[in-house]
Amino acid sequence: MTVLRCQCGALELTITSQSYDDSSAFEAYKCQCCGRTGTLVHEATTGTTLSGCLR
């Protein structure tokens, strides 16, 4: 299991939206410490991609 955190180092992330089906998932996050946002996208064929403030 991977732990998501913000670039500021905080672990306090809130999911602001999400969607998924049999082969993909999307989640948008907001950091409760600094307010930055990021997304996690998972595709069955290409894997997981993080963007924005997520690491």
Side-chain angles (χ1 to χ4, degrees):
M1 178 178 173
T2 300
V3 176
L4 293 177
R5 65 178 62 220
C6 181
Q7 290 175 348
C8 74
L11 297 172
E12 297 84 9
L13 300 172
T14 300
I15 297 174
T16 58
S17 66
Q18 67 183 161
S19 64
Y20 56 90
D21 58 29
D22 291 339
S23 63
S24 64
F26 167 84
E27 294 179 337
Y29 291 88
K30 181 176 182 180
C31 178
Q32 294 304 300
C33 180
C34 69
R36 288 188 268 189
T37 60
T39 60
L40 177 149
V41 176
H42 178 79
E43 296 284 341
T45 56
T46 58
T48 302
T49 305
L50 302 175
S51 65
C53 74
L54 298 180
R55 58 178 178 162

